[in-house]
């Protein structure tokens, strides 16, 4: 478990990773994705998506920080919404599941994108299109995975392992490495702790809001 600071980079090679940012902003990174936290101050949170894809859930904000996802093709400015961004070959595809975002390409052309709509950021002016049903279903599954973290009804889990440095997953989403302290949504969660050449440990947890759970795992040879 680590606190992201400006300049920190997170790269995901396999699986998924969940990031918790200030003002109840949560981001799910897919495999082969990389982001860098470029700015974090009283007015802005700027997350740069270098490659791959993310899904973000951002609480409506008025006088709080403005949440921005920048990409090589342009940026996405958020006021409070759930949206997805995928970067490929110098362009960025943006989809909005809830709320509304504003996008701006490298030439300064802007467009408001409402719920259920998508657009592509490239050199040409962005245009709206309706999200395909396959996109809605896929993003809905990602949102369900992210919901294990983006909730006020959370429990606190403290995990240690021998050896240390084991990857920790909750419901299939990587949340860090041991030793780790994290907050996850209350309910029935599947916890997996794994390390190369060691037998992985899986445990089903039933968590109530404000629970504090501690686990020490011994990872034996595979």
């Amino acid at each position: 478990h680590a606190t992201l600071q400006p300049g920190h980079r997170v790269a995901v090679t396999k699986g998924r990773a969940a990031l918790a940012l200030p003002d109840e902003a949560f981001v799910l990174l897919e495999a082969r994705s990389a982001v860098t936290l470029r700015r974090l101050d009283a007015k802005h949170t700027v997350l740069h998506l270098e490659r791959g894809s993310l899904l973000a859930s951002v609480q409506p904000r008025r006088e709080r920080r403005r949440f921005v996802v920048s990409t090589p093709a342009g940026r996405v400015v958020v006021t409070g919404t759930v949206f997805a961004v995928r970067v490929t070959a110098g362009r960025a595809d943006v989809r909005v599941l809830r709320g509304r975002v504003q996008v701006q390409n490298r030439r300064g052309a802007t467009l408001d994108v409402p719920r259920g709509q998508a657009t592509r950021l490239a050199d040409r002016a962005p245009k709206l299109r309706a999200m395909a049903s396959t996109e809605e279903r896929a993003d809905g599954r990602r949102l369900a995975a992210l919901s294990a973290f983006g909730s006020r009804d959370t429990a606190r889990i403290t995990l240690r392992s021998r050896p240390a440095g084991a990857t920790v997953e909750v419901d299939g989403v990587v949340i860090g490495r041991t030793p780790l302290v994290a907050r996850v949504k209350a309910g029935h969660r599947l916890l997996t702790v794994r390390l190369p050449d060691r037998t992985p440990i899986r445990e089903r947890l039933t968590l109530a809001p404000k629970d504090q759970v501690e686990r020490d795992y011994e990872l034996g040879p595979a």
Side-chain angles (χ1 to χ4, degrees):
H1 176 71
T3 301
L4 283 180
Q5 298 293 335
H8 282 187
R9 182 175 183 269
V10 178
V12 182
T13 54
K14 296 187 296 183
R16 291 171 169 172
L19 307 178
L21 296 165
D23 297 336
E24 295 186 57
F26 298 88
V27 176
L28 183 69
L29 290 176
E30 296 292 331
R32 298 180 294 280
S33 299
V35 297
T36 300
L37 183 60
R38 286 194 167 173
R39 182 175 176 183
L40 179 61
D41 55 35
K43 293 184 177 181
H44 293 87
T45 297
V46 180
L47 197 64
H48 181 70
L49 179 61
E50 303 169 24
R51 67 173 187 269
S53 59
L54 64 76
L55 184 140
S57 174
V58 181
Q59 291 297 313
R61 49 197 59 213
R62 296 177 177 84
E63 298 178 356
R64 296 186 290 178
R65 295 176 183 86
R66 174 174 288 186
F67 191 91
V68 178
V69 174
S70 65
T71 76
R75 63 180 193 159
V76 183
V77 180
V78 181
T79 55
T81 185
V82 176
F83 66 100
V85 184
R86 179 176 177 82
V87 171
T88 53
R91 65 176 186 262
D93 291 290
V94 180
R95 303 181 302 277
V96 179
L97 285 73
R98 298 177 186 167
R100 176 183 298 267
V101 305
Q102 183 184 80
V103 299
Q104 183 181 59
N105 70 3
R106 288 175 296 194
R107 297 186 175 182
T110 62
L111 178 70
D112 285 338
V113 186
R115 175 181 178 177
Q117 298 290 300
T119 191
R120 171 167 291 176
L121 287 173
D123 289 333
R124 295 183 179 180
K127 296 181 180 179
L128 289 178
R129 68 167 178 84
M131 285 178 59
S133 58
T134 52
E135 292 175 323
E136 291 179 346
R137 288 194 295 270
D139 287 337
R141 289 192 293 269
R142 297 185 185 102
L143 182 58
L146 186 61
S147 68
F149 309 94
S151 169
R152 296 178 182 177
D153 296 328
T154 59
R156 184 176 183 266
I157 59 173
T158 301
L159 304 175
R160 291 174 289 270
S161 71
R162 290 181 298 275
T167 299
V168 178
E169 299 176 9
V170 175
D171 294 344
V173 177
V174 176
I175 64 171
R177 296 181 183 275
T178 57
L180 175 140
V181 179
R183 289 193 171 276
V184 300
K185 186 178 179 181
H188 301 291
R189 310 264 78 89
L190 175 60
L191 176 69
T192 305
V193 182
R194 65 176 82 243
L195 194 65
D197 301 321
R198 300 278 174 164
T199 301
I201 291 176
R202 295 178 177 85
E203 182 180 0
R204 292 195 176 274
L205 299 176
T206 299
L207 303 173
K210 299 182 180 180
D211 270 358
Q212 296 191 30
V213 176
E214 293 192 23
R215 291 289 190 274
D216 284 274
Y217 294 117
E218 187 78 36
L219 296 170

